[in-house]
Amino acid sequence: HERRHASHEYGTRATPIGAFLGGGCHAVDMARYLTGADIAEIQARTPCNRDLRALRVQRTTVALANMTNGAIAKISATDAVFMPYWFNIQVFGTSGAIRNDNQLYARSHPASSFETISGVVPDSGAVWHHPFEGMIAEFVDCVRRRIEPSCNLFATANTHRACFAAEESARRDGTVIRLL
């Protein structure tokens, strides 16, 4: 049976994990996937930077990341909100733009506004609704064929280093931190 997170469930996390490590890592993975590059450096801010309570656990963090291929990404994470789950994605390029998994505007298909692409997208914070089956199938296939999976140890390490660096940068008033 399908269960969605209720709005009131957000903003109630009691663990000492900041938003970037607790869920923002998925946004970092998405930025790396969409740009096809690792994060070379990151700079981040969090509200109430000088408040010692904010230094312990960062509930809202916004980061700018420079990718190894020259692309830039703005990545944010929060668990201090009262709203339903929303994984906001916007990709801008010289050939067009994509918004939130299902809206497209492309030079190759000119239109007066964004076109909506039909399909089902994960719109719930409940992980059972997310596309893990394909990831697991790829991992099993890679083990059987003895090849490297698309999300290997090096990719995972870059994502986690970026998350830790974003939280550190926010603690240090937005200092740029180099990862590579």
Side-chain angles (χ1 to χ4, degrees):
H1 93 103
E2 185 172 326
R3 180 190 175 277
R4 295 180 185 273
H5 277 252
S7 316
H8 68 273
E9 293 182 64
Y10 291 91
T12 59
R13 179 179 283 171
T15 64
I17 297 172
F20 239 76
L21 287 167
C25 56
H26 301 295
V28 172
D29 273 338
M30 183 61 75
R32 292 180 63 260
Y33 174 77
L34 291 173
T35 61
D38 287 329
I39 295 177
E41 61 183 27
I42 198 159
Q43 176 181 22
R45 299 295 298 231
T46 191
C48 307
N49 235 12
R50 289 173 178 76
D51 181 343
L52 291 177
R53 288 171 297 170
L55 298 178
R56 264 191 330 205
V57 180
Q58 297 164 3
R59 294 288 174 228
T60 300
T61 302
V62 177
L64 295 176
N66 290 326
M67 313 304 283
T68 54
N69 64 1
I72 59 170
K74 180 179 81 171
I75 307 164
S76 61
T78 185
D79 64 5
V81 296
F82 185 80
M83 64 181 272
Y85 176 84
W86 184 41
F87 195 82
N88 184 29
I89 299 171
Q90 296 188 54
V91 178
F92 307 109
T94 57
S95 295
I98 299 170
R99 292 192 309 202
N100 299 328
D101 293 339
N102 68 343
Q103 294 182 333
L104 172 70
Y105 191 83
R107 188 180 302 275
S108 61
H109 295 88
S112 58
S113 64
F114 277 85
E115 293 184 40
T116 300
I117 303 166
S118 64
V120 177
V121 296
D123 63 355
S124 165
V127 297
W128 54 263
H129 190 266
H130 293 197
F132 292 125
E133 287 182 27
M135 292 170 60
I136 293 168
E138 181 207 5
F139 179 74
V140 169
D141 182 56
C142 288
V143 169
R144 286 181 177 151
R145 294 174 40 203
R146 297 179 187 223
I147 60 173
E148 196 75 22
S150 60
C151 187
N152 61 26
L153 180 61
F154 299 106
T156 304
N158 185 252
T159 293
H160 282 81
R161 287 186 67 210
C163 291
F164 283 111
E167 292 194 355
E168 179 63 25
S169 172
R171 277 193 289 279
R172 294 181 6 196
D173 246 358
T175 299
V176 174
I177 297 180
R178 292 201 48 80
L179 283 86
L180 302 174

